[in-house]
Amino acid sequence: MNVSQLSKVIGYDPKSLLLQITAAGLSHKLETDEVSNEDKKILLTFLKSAKKTSKKTISLKKGSVSTSSSRKGVSITRLNQSEETTKKPSNSDFSGSIDFDAAEAKRKDAEKKVEEEKKSKSDEKQNQVVKRIKKPSPADIKAKKTFIPSKPLFRSKADSKKNKRELEGERFLETKLSNVQEFERPTEFIQKEVTIPETISVADLASQLSIKSGELIKSLMANGVMVTINQLIDQETALVVIEELGHIGVPITENEEENLIDNIVYEGKEEPRNPIVSVLGHVDHGKTSILDFIRKSSVADSEEGGITQGIGAYQVNHNDSLITFIDTPGHAAFSQMRARGANSTDIVVLVVAADDSVKPQTEEAFNHAKEAGVQIIVALNKIDLPEADIEKVKGDLSALGLVPEDWGGDTQMIPISAKTGDGMEDLLESIQLVSELMELKTNHTGPATGIVLESGVRRGEGAVATLLVQRGTLKSGDLVLVGDQSRKIRSIKNYKEEVIENAPPASPVFISGLESPPDAGDEFIVVKDEKAAKVLSENRANKMRDKRLAQKGVMNLESMFASAGEGVKPTINLILKSDTNGSLEALNGAVGNMKVDDVAIKVVMDTVGPISTNDVNLAIASEAFIYGFNVRADKSAIALAEKEGITIQYFGIIYDLIDAVKLLIEGSLDPDIKETILGKAKVKDIFRSPKFGSIAGSIVEDGTIYPNKNVRVIRDNTVVHEGMLDSLRRFKDEAKEVKSGTECGIGITNYTDIKEGDVIEVFQRDEIKRKL
């Protein structure tokens, strides 16, 4: 409410009211200034204090006081009704306190009069209708001279009903309007604490924050996210926008299983179990060679390129006790696989080549082990080589935080040679000693739980997975809940590919009978209730679908603007097929890291299994290249690909696949243009030729001039033309080149505005293929 509105309510001149407001110490200067409830209180307090010192009151006429009463300490003057309704206050009448009761009574009287006028008007309309439909007298009927037609009578009744409805409607609206309560928007911000699930719709989030959906969408747009009111957003996006709006977001994980693995009750006491050891390190530092020597095998010799490209699990018998080893790849692309190995183990053997020292993946493997909180034993391999420098390696490891025991630290560093076998027994003894000190125990009876190390598709077996049993005993025929599927185990094999009936804790096993390869790193659990397992798997599938929709549905503004400018930007579409999920994960990561500004790389599809006709059809539709990693295409897929001109390439080493993608990118890049200035000539005179037009008689001042090259005409250090040199003559003869200090005649294609004193600069442009 502003000053003008307040003056109307109390029935006084706004200027006089402003004088009182100013006297009360308020800052209002204009009639449009807002008057808050607090301002009203201040004004009323001022008027009360003024009343105590002066008995003057506001009246319509000075001295015309009829009655005076005291209410809540405020002097109120009541005027004669005739004076109230006939006279208006003037500026001189405004002297003491404001008579609010009189003003209120005046307002009510005015409203009453308006209502009475409306009522009288409606009554008049009704009387007119009644007069129009007045029934004829008995004399008229007897004389049969008056005929009452039905049509006018029907219209009169309709008019009566219509007027009656209008009257009722007016009264209803008046009642409603009089009962309308005005609300003021709260000025004080109220911070809310809301819980955010993994996915939430924009409408639900706005409801929790008690704001309009439009305001939330604006805030999301300000953060570069384009959404609609019914669209799902992921938890991370929701938390960011909540914090920006000044509220508190509490992330929650919707887990109907209530951490099912942790809540399983095992009967009996925990018993000792075998240690699980992960072998980590940089590529080609000898991790697999160490395991080959320990288990008297030659796995490294059979591996493509001599490097490990998948996670492997083995068991070794040493001093009548089993040790489970997990072999991980050392290539940079297999970072997540190394992290998975470190998180599922008790001890990490960090392999460092004595001739190569600490490398990027060495440091990364150490960080994985440190984050997992496991014991670390360093194996200094390749000590048989003449380039080996053990002390240098120890110094480099100390810089990372791994201080050897002989340097006063607590890290065991054992010099070994996987080739000669030196130190291998010491390494195994050290592993057994550390495991005994850790007193590793778990339950051997009860439902099995553990982690998926690797998964893939095998011919004749379908979807398979490499599992590491961490608790309980896994049996053939058990109902396994893993990822978003629950299936009965068809068969169990140990690391030697031998069929077994059960697997105790710390055992690596291969299982078959799954619907699809689960994601590497997923936890598995054996459940007894098939119905409950089905419900849980469906819930997991629904969550994964909602999460994918939330990630796909949210469009980033940057990507929108980027795609808008990609009209001429080449795009490389890829279809990746692999034998295992872990390898596919590494391939995706490697391709994703190849970010080039001028080329867009898109993985259209990435799945585990052989290349099929469906993959080729997708490649036809999306103009994609198909890359197979340790998989092959069937005959029908090959025939279709050859017919449609689709490229299928096979790879066994991840380096080669990455290099092939790089070649594709380089072939799509626009070449760099290198410009070389060949020579410069200064124009001395202009000649006209009927055959060639204007000929610039010039002298070569620098370099050599060649015909059919690009030229620039420079006048007063400004380029005025750029074209092609089409005529070069020495006297009357054509010349193949003119060197510095020699005179010549130069003709430029379709250019006649050459002038004396111009400089002709001859240059050539060379295209250079861009490299990543």
Side-chain angles (χ1 to χ4, degrees):
M1 181 180 288
N2 57 30
V3 175
S4 179
Q5 291 170 338
L6 179 61
S7 66
K8 289 179 181 178
V9 171
I10 63 174
Y12 283 92
D13 182 51
K15 293 182 180 178
S16 301
L17 184 57
L18 272 173
L19 291 174
Q20 288 293 327
I21 290 173
T22 305
L26 298 174
S27 60
H28 299 70
K29 301 294 183 184
L30 303 172
E31 295 179 13
T32 55
D33 291 346
E34 292 292 325
V35 181
S36 64
N37 291 331
E38 190 65 29
D39 294 338
K40 291 176 185 177
K41 290 179 183 178
I42 294 171
L43 179 60
L44 188 59
T45 305
F46 168 73
L47 294 174
K48 285 180 183 179
S49 62
K51 180 65 180 174
K52 291 178 182 178
T53 58
S54 174
K55 294 293 181 178
K56 292 181 180 180
T57 60
I58 295 175
S59 63
L60 295 175
K61 190 175 181 181
K62 287 187 179 181
S64 60
V65 180
S66 58
T67 58
S68 179
S69 62
S70 177
R71 183 182 297 170
K72 295 183 182 180
V74 180
S75 177
I76 301 169
T77 302
R78 300 195 180 276
L79 307 177
N80 293 329
Q81 190 172 352
S82 60
E83 292 177 347
E84 282 186 10
T85 57
T86 57
K87 293 193 178 183
K88 294 182 179 179
S90 63
N91 292 346
S92 59
D93 295 330
F94 201 109
S95 52
S97 60
I98 299 175
D99 194 344
F100 288 100
D101 285 351
E104 183 67 18
K106 182 179 178 182
R107 185 182 64 79
K108 287 182 179 180
D109 288 342
E111 287 180 356
K112 190 174 180 181
K113 282 185 178 182
V114 171
E115 190 173 349
E116 287 175 355
E117 286 176 2
K118 287 182 180 179
K119 188 175 179 181
S120 63
K121 285 180 181 179
S122 61
D123 289 341
E124 285 177 8
K125 286 182 181 180
Q126 194 168 1
N127 291 333
Q128 289 174 2
V129 173
V130 172
K131 287 177 182 178
R132 284 204 305 269
I133 60 171
K134 184 178 179 183
K135 292 182 180 180
S137 63
D140 294 333
I141 295 172
K142 277 183 181 181
K144 295 183 181 181
K145 291 181 180 180
T146 305
F147 175 73
I148 305 173
S150 58
K151 206 166 186 180
L153 184 62
F154 174 76
R155 285 178 179 169
S156 299
K157 286 182 179 178
D159 290 341
S160 177
K161 288 181 179 178
K162 184 179 178 181
N163 287 321
K164 190 175 180 181
R165 284 198 300 269
E166 288 179 356
L167 181 61
E168 289 175 353
E170 287 177 1
R171 288 176 179 171
F172 175 77
L173 286 173
E174 288 174 6
T175 306
K176 286 293 181 185
L177 289 171
S178 62
N179 292 331
V180 171
Q181 184 177 357
E182 294 183 359
F183 293 94
E184 290 185 3
R185 186 173 179 176
T187 55
E188 186 179 350
F189 174 75
I190 301 174
Q191 189 180 56
K192 292 198 170 188
E193 184 175 304
V194 294
T195 55
I196 305 300
E198 293 177 3
T199 58
I200 187 171
S201 69
V202 175
D204 290 342
L205 182 57
S207 176
Q208 288 195 43
L209 295 173
S210 299
I211 61 174
K212 292 182 179 179
S213 299
E215 293 181 21
L216 181 59
I217 291 173
K218 284 180 183 178
S219 183
L220 285 164
M221 287 179 66
N223 282 277
V225 179
M226 295 290 290
V227 288
T228 59
I229 188 170
N230 295 318
Q231 203 164 327
L232 293 173
I233 58 175
D234 57 71
Q235 191 179 73
E236 185 180 354
T237 303
L239 290 173
V240 169
V241 74
I242 286 170
E243 184 180 355
E244 186 167 298
L245 290 171
H247 299 284
I248 300 171
V250 180
I252 57 171
T253 303
E254 292 179 340
N255 190 3
E256 292 86 355
E257 305 155 43
E258 295 295 338
N259 295 322
L260 192 59
I261 293 178
D262 295 335
N263 293 334
I264 295 176
V265 177
Y266 291 89
E267 296 180 358
K269 294 182 178 179
E270 291 186 343
E271 302 174 33
R273 65 167 176 83
N274 299 320
I276 302 170
V277 181
S278 282
V279 183
L280 306 178
H282 191 72
V283 64
D284 203 28
H285 274 204
K287 299 180 294 299
T288 306
S289 298
I290 292 172
L291 290 175
D292 281 348
F293 184 90
I294 292 172
R295 62 177 184 252
K296 304 294 187 274
S297 64
S298 56
V299 174
D301 295 337
S302 63
E303 289 180 328
E304 285 262 12
I307 62 169
T308 303
Q309 300 180 110
I311 197 164
Y314 316 94
Q315 284 187 310
V316 175
N317 195 328
H318 182 71
N319 294 339
D320 298 327
S321 65
L322 287 173
I323 302 173
T324 300
F325 283 97
I326 298 174
D327 187 14
T328 62
H331 190 272
F334 296 93
S335 174
Q336 289 177 300
M337 202 177 286
R338 285 190 292 276
R340 198 155 49 245
N343 288 326
S344 56
T345 191
D346 305 311
I347 302 168
V348 165
V349 173
L350 184 62
V351 180
V352 184
D355 66 328
D356 204 20
S357 194
V358 175
K359 292 295 177 182
Q361 273 64 61
T362 310
E363 186 173 352
E364 183 208 75
F366 165 65
N367 290 331
H368 286 320
K370 187 167 65 173
E371 288 175 12
V374 296
Q375 295 289 328
I376 300 175
I377 298 173
V378 177
L380 303 175
N381 193 23
K382 301 185 181 183
I383 59 171
D384 55 297
L385 297 177
E387 299 86 2
D389 189 345
I390 295 176
E391 294 303 312
K392 179 183 181 302
V393 176
K394 287 182 178 180
D396 292 341
L397 289 170
S398 297
L400 291 179
L402 290 170
V403 182
E405 289 179 332
D406 55 346
W407 284 22
D410 56 0
T411 303
Q412 295 186 65
M413 295 190 182
I414 302 167
I416 62 167
S417 172
K419 186 176 182 179
T420 64
D422 292 343
M424 298 301 293
E425 191 67 25
D426 295 336
L427 178 62
L428 292 173
E429 290 290 343
S430 179
I431 290 170
Q432 277 198 327
L433 177 62
V434 172
S435 65
E436 287 173 6
L437 292 173
M438 293 174 71
E439 297 181 350
L440 302 170
K441 292 182 179 181
T442 190
N443 295 95
H444 287 244
T445 58
T449 63
I451 191 171
V452 178
L453 293 178
E454 187 61 283
S455 64
V457 178
R458 287 189 181 183
R459 188 180 295 274
E461 292 183 277
V464 297
T466 303
L467 307 182
L468 178 63
V469 182
Q470 295 175 319
R471 199 173 187 184
T473 299
L474 186 65
K475 301 174 184 177
S476 181
D478 279 347
L479 183 66
V480 175
L481 174 66
V482 54
D484 59 350
Q485 59 181 313
S486 57
R487 289 290 183 273
K488 282 189 177 181
I489 297 175
R490 186 188 302 146
S491 66
I492 304 177
K493 295 180 181 180
N494 62 12
Y495 72 98
K496 295 178 182 178
E497 297 286 334
E498 299 170 344
V499 177
I500 57 176
E501 290 300 318
N502 54 67
S507 299
V509 293
F510 301 92
I511 66 166
S512 62
L514 299 173
E515 182 182 8
S516 60
D519 291 337
D522 281 353
E523 292 181 329
F524 76 87
I525 179 172
V526 172
V527 291
K528 294 182 179 179
D529 189 347
E530 188 171 352
K531 187 176 179 180
K534 187 177 180 181
V535 171
L536 289 175
S537 62
E538 287 176 354
N539 288 341
R540 285 182 175 183
N542 290 335
K543 282 184 195 175
M544 291 174 69
R545 186 185 69 250
D546 289 343
K547 201 166 185 178
R548 283 195 300 269
L549 286 173
Q551 290 172 347
K552 287 182 180 179
V554 174
M555 183 179 288
N556 194 291
L557 278 176
E558 291 179 5
S559 63
M560 277 183 65
F561 291 125
S563 60
E566 287 179 1
V568 293
K569 186 176 181 180
T571 301
I572 297 173
N573 292 329
L574 299 176
I575 294 176
L576 302 178
K577 302 285 289 188
S578 178
D579 58 336
T580 64
N581 255 322
S583 299
L584 194 65
E585 178 185 67
L587 291 174
N588 264 315
V591 172
N593 288 332
M594 296 182 190
K595 293 182 179 178
V596 184
D597 293 337
D598 298 333
V599 178
I601 307 170
K602 183 179 180 183
V603 177
V604 178
M605 186 180 70
D606 56 322
T607 54
V608 173
I611 300 167
S612 65
T613 53
N614 289 336
D615 302 325
V616 178
N617 284 323
L618 179 59
I620 295 169
S622 59
E623 299 181 354
F625 298 88
I626 301 175
Y627 286 174
F629 187 75
N630 291 331
V631 293
R632 294 293 181 268
D634 54 39
K635 290 183 180 179
S636 58
I638 293 172
L640 181 61
E642 289 176 351
K643 180 182 175 183
E644 298 293 339
I646 297 300
T647 303
I648 299 178
Q649 289 183 267
Y650 305 121
F651 302 92
I653 303 174
I654 195 168
Y655 298 116
D656 296 338
L657 190 146
I658 293 171
D659 289 341
V661 177
K662 284 182 179 178
L663 284 175
L664 270 180
I665 296 170
E666 289 171 356
S668 301
L669 293 172
D670 293 331
D672 288 330
I673 305 298
K674 184 181 179 183
E675 188 176 289
T676 306
I677 296 175
L678 303 174
K680 292 181 181 180
K682 190 168 185 178
V683 179
K684 294 294 186 180
D685 200 357
I686 306 297
F687 303 96
R688 302 291 173 184
S689 168
K691 185 177 180 181
F692 299 105
S694 296
I695 301 296
S698 312
I699 182 167
V700 180
E701 293 183 335
D702 185 25
T704 303
I705 304 297
Y706 299 92
N708 301 317
K709 296 291 183 181
N710 295 302
V711 294
R712 293 190 189 95
V713 178
I714 301 172
R715 186 175 300 154
D716 297 329
N717 294 322
T718 303
V719 177
V720 294
H721 179 72
E722 189 171 314
M724 184 68 68
L725 193 156
D726 66 347
S727 175
L728 180 64
R729 290 179 174 271
R730 177 89 172 115
F731 299 109
K732 292 183 179 181
D733 300 325
E734 289 187 3
K736 292 183 178 179
E737 65 177 32
V738 178
K739 294 185 178 180
S740 178
T742 308
E743 293 181 344
C744 62
I746 298 173
I748 300 172
T749 304
N750 298 326
Y751 186 68
T752 59
D753 190 29
I754 194 78
K755 292 183 179 180
E756 187 178 339
D758 289 348
V759 175
I760 298 174
E761 185 179 81
V762 182
F763 65 95
Q764 70 177 15
R765 290 192 178 103
D766 298 317
E767 292 186 352
I768 299 174
K769 191 176 180 180
R770 291 170 62 184
K771 299 284 185 181
L772 291 180

